[in-house]
Amino acid sequence: MKSLFSLASLVAAAQALYFYVDGGTPKCFYEELPKDTLVVGHYAAEEWDERANMWQQHQGITIYITVDEIFDNNHRVVSQRGTSSGRFTFSAADAGDHKICFMPSSSSGRPGWLSMANPNGGIKLRLDMVIGETSQIESDDKDKLKDITSRVKDLNARLNDIRREQVFQREREAEFRDQSESTNARVIRWIIIQLVVLGATCAWQLSHLRSFFIKQKLT
């Protein structure tokens, strides 16, 4: 049997709660919303893990979310299937009661029903909802965007600093390379000059020795 509750009786504009859902059975809430009201919800579903002895999320959990306008012959405005955690949003086109339902399912094969013999059966669903005027939520979103923009600017500034440091290091490396090449060129020139002087000295000595031996022979 479907469980129907009023979210207004549980929480205010900012709503956070958790509840247990039998496997394959939808859990529904009624919420009366003014016209042009934006609803943003975040959810997370967990199943009991016997080995870890705690509630945990896993990839085998899926959540089917529906939102119906009761005042408009149960016109469905949201039909969404998601993973074990996610987000849903909708805006009230007209004032009136809305029925918000969550139906989880799991591929784990564990018992899906809550009972005295199975107190950890079913799915534990955490729900965090924000209900307010569109302008208010958009203002909050703008503040978040400003914060994100500020962080992005800080990151860009740091990246620019890193780039400048890299350019400076490359310039220093180029300067050091030029100095090394200049030093090597001077060393090579000095070696060549020494070889030329040494060769000239050897040639002069050989010429002198030749002249000396010729004179000795003539005498």
Side-chain angles (χ1 to χ4, degrees), residues 81-218:
R81 186 178 298 277
T83 58
S84 59
S85 63
R87 167 179 170 170
F88 66 94
T89 61
F90 69 93
S91 181
D94 289 301
D97 286 334
H98 292 70
K99 185 171 71 172
I100 306 172
C101 296
F102 303 87
M103 186 170 69
S105 60
S106 173
S107 62
S108 66
R110 294 192 66 255
W113 296 95
L114 293 168
S115 64
M116 294 296 294
N118 187 30
N120 293 324
I123 301 294
K124 182 179 181 181
L125 186 63
R126 300 179 183 273
L127 179 61
D128 185 6
M129 294 180 59
V130 177
I131 300 176
E133 295 181 356
T134 303
S135 59
Q136 293 177 346
I137 296 180
E138 288 178 348
S139 177
D140 294 339
D141 291 340
K142 288 180 180 178
D143 292 338
K144 292 180 181 178
L145 287 175
K146 288 180 180 179
D147 182 57
I148 294 173
T149 302
S150 176
R151 293 183 182 181
V152 170
K153 288 182 179 178
D154 291 340
L155 289 175
N156 286 332
R158 293 181 183 180
L159 288 175
N160 289 331
D161 291 339
I162 293 173
R163 291 193 187 99
R164 283 194 293 269
E165 181 66 22
Q166 289 176 340
V167 170
F168 175 71
Q169 292 296 335
R170 284 196 293 268
E171 290 176 351
R172 291 193 61 183
E173 290 175 359
E175 182 180 355
F176 178 75
R177 184 173 59 252
D178 293 340
Q179 290 179 352
S180 298
E181 291 176 354
S182 177
T183 301
N184 292 334
R186 287 197 296 269
V187 170
I188 291 173
R189 285 197 299 270
W190 177 243
I191 292 174
I192 292 173
I193 291 172
Q194 287 181 328
L195 290 175
V196 170
V197 171
L198 182 62
T201 302
C202 291
W204 178 81
Q205 288 180 345
L206 289 173
S207 176
H208 179 72
L209 288 173
R210 182 183 178 190
S211 299
F212 175 76
F213 286 130
I214 291 174
K215 289 180 180 180
Q216 289 292 331
K217 186 176 181 180
L218 292 175

Side-chain angles (χ1 to χ4, degrees), residues 55-86:
W55 294 92
Q56 288 187 341
Q57 295 185 27
H58 63 81
Q59 296 180 350
I61 299 176
T62 59
I63 304 293
Y64 181 55
I65 304 170
T66 60
V67 178
D68 298 331
E69 294 176 338
I70 304 300
F71 58 88
D72 191 14
N73 296 322
N74 291 323
H75 173 246
R76 182 154 293 179
V77 294
V78 174
S79 178
Q80 173 182 327
R81 186 178 298 277
T83 58
S84 59
S85 63

Side-chain angles (χ1 to χ4, degrees), residues 38-59:
L38 182 64
V39 178
V40 179
H42 295 82
Y43 65 89
E46 300 174 338
E47 193 172 23
W48 184 259
D49 190 330
E50 296 288 352
R51 290 176 296 181
N53 197 31
M54 62 185 299
W55 294 92
Q56 288 187 341
Q57 295 185 27
H58 63 81
Q59 296 180 350

